[in-house]
């Protein structure tokens, strides 16, 4: 399972990149806005920090505009993946860009029907937003199961990239379903490390070790 970090904050990426856990990065217009920085400069800096794909999302809603923006974004670095929304123009752009050798991440996916379109268009990644479905009482992980089952029936090369992750159990469930990638906010990556019994057990080990008066070094 690949771990992408879902942020445009360079400091967060650096922290987890240092742990060797970052296989890629996903951004979107909201995350760029939250960073308060210039998009092109930010994507360029992130691309230099990680070897894996860095998703940069177009903001145009028409095909021609998407293609013009994608050309500029692709020129930033070779590991830029172009994010397009799951719309008719986005799918058309996905097909044209993937035919031209670009990695495309089709985002804002909320149904299996949409995921089939993205795979047909040669997307490198499909991003179903599980948290936003859960937020309205629909089954986000159920969609992941559906998409994985459908994709397994065919030789689609599109990787299922679980997005809009709200808690560590989304990561666990995505792994159980065999999703290829999960993109996780830094806060949730941090939560994944924590368990009270680990903390308690380590404290007990160290307290007992201290009693020995020994030192390994
Ligand atoms: O990568 C998509 C993700 O950033 C969306 O998350 O929490 O806005 O649904 P959220």
């Amino acid at each position: 399972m690949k771990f992408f970090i879902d942020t445009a904050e360079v400091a967060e990426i650096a922290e987890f990149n240092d742990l060797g856990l970052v296989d890629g990065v996903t951004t979107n217009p909201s995350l760029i806005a939250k960073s308060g920085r210039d998009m092109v400069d930010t994507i360029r800096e992130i691309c230099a920090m990680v070897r894996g794909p860095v998703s940069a999302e177009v903001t145009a809603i028409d095909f021609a505009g998407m293609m013009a923006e994608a050309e500029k974004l692709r020129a930033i670095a070779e590991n830029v993946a172009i994010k397009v929304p799951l719309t008719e123009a986005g799918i058309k752009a996905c097909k044209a860009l993937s035919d031209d050798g670009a990695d495309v991440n089709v985002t804002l996916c909320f149904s299996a029907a949409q995921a089939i379109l993205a795979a047909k268009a040669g997307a490198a990644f499909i991003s179903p937003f599980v948290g936003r479905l859960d937020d309205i009482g629909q089954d986000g992980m159920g969609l992941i199961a559906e998409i994985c089952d459908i994709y397994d029936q065919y030789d689609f090369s599109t990787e299922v990239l679980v997005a809009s992750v709200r808690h560590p159990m989304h990561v666990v469930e995505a792994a159980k379903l065999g999703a290829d990638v999960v993109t996780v906010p830094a806060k949730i990556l941090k939560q994944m490390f924590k368990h009270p019994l680990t903390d308690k057990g380590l404290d007990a080990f160290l307290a007992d070790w201290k009693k020995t008066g020994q030192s390994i070094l």
Side-chain angles (χ1 to χ4, degrees):
M1 179 182 238
K2 295 175 196 167
F3 266 34
F4 291 3
I5 186 167
D6 194 35
T7 185
E9 304 288 350
V10 169
E12 289 182 340
I13 297 166
E15 179 182 353
F16 288 96
N17 209 25
D18 191 44
L19 292 177
L21 289 180
V22 176
D23 298 310
V25 179
T26 52
T27 72
N28 62 43
S30 299
L31 292 172
I32 294 289
K34 184 181 171 191
S35 76
R37 293 186 57 196
D38 175 80
M39 177 180 184
V40 172
D41 291 345
T42 303
I43 297 297
R44 181 175 292 112
E45 186 172 348
I46 295 171
C47 286
M49 294 171 71
V50 301
R51 281 194 302 273
V54 176
S55 290
E57 188 164 339
V58 298
T59 58
I61 58 174
D62 63 299
F63 173 72
M66 289 179 183
M67 294 304 286
E69 291 182 2
E71 184 180 358
K72 177 160 184 185
L73 294 173
R74 291 175 73 184
I76 295 171
E78 64 176 13
N79 56 327
V80 166
I82 302 299
K83 234 186 191 183
V84 297
L86 215 149
T87 61
E88 286 186 41
I91 290 298
K92 184 177 177 184
C94 176
K95 184 72 171 87
L97 290 165
S98 56
D99 285 351
D100 190 44
D103 275 347
V104 182
N105 179 356
V106 179
T107 191
L108 288 168
C109 172
F110 294 97
S111 74
Q114 288 179 321
I116 293 168
L117 292 170
K120 287 286 293 176
F125 306 103
I126 182 65
S127 290
F129 278 31
V130 297
R132 293 193 189 183
L133 285 167
D134 289 0
D135 291 346
I136 63 167
Q138 293 188 7
D139 184 0
M141 294 317 295
L143 174 60
I144 300 301
E146 259 193 305
I147 295 170
C148 288
D149 287 350
I150 291 167
Y151 279 18
D152 286 348
Q153 307 300 319
Y154 301 94
D155 61 349
F156 289 143
S157 59
T158 305
E159 294 188 36
V160 179
L161 193 169
V162 179
S164 187
V165 166
R166 293 279 191 276
H167 45 69
M169 284 314 294
H170 272 157
V171 180
V172 172
E173 291 303 320
K176 286 180 180 176
L177 291 169
D180 303 283
V181 190
V182 60
T183 191
V184 191
K187 170 175 168 272
I188 292 158
L189 268 172
K190 282 183 182 293
Q191 288 173 337
M192 290 180 69
F193 284 93
K194 301 306 287 178
H195 194 291
L197 289 181
T198 303
D199 297 340
K200 184 179 178 186
L202 184 57
D203 289 344
F205 284 162
L206 296 178
D208 290 342
W209 177 249
K210 191 174 181 181
K211 293 171 190 167
T212 71
Q214 296 181 55
S215 171
I216 293 172
L217 298 179

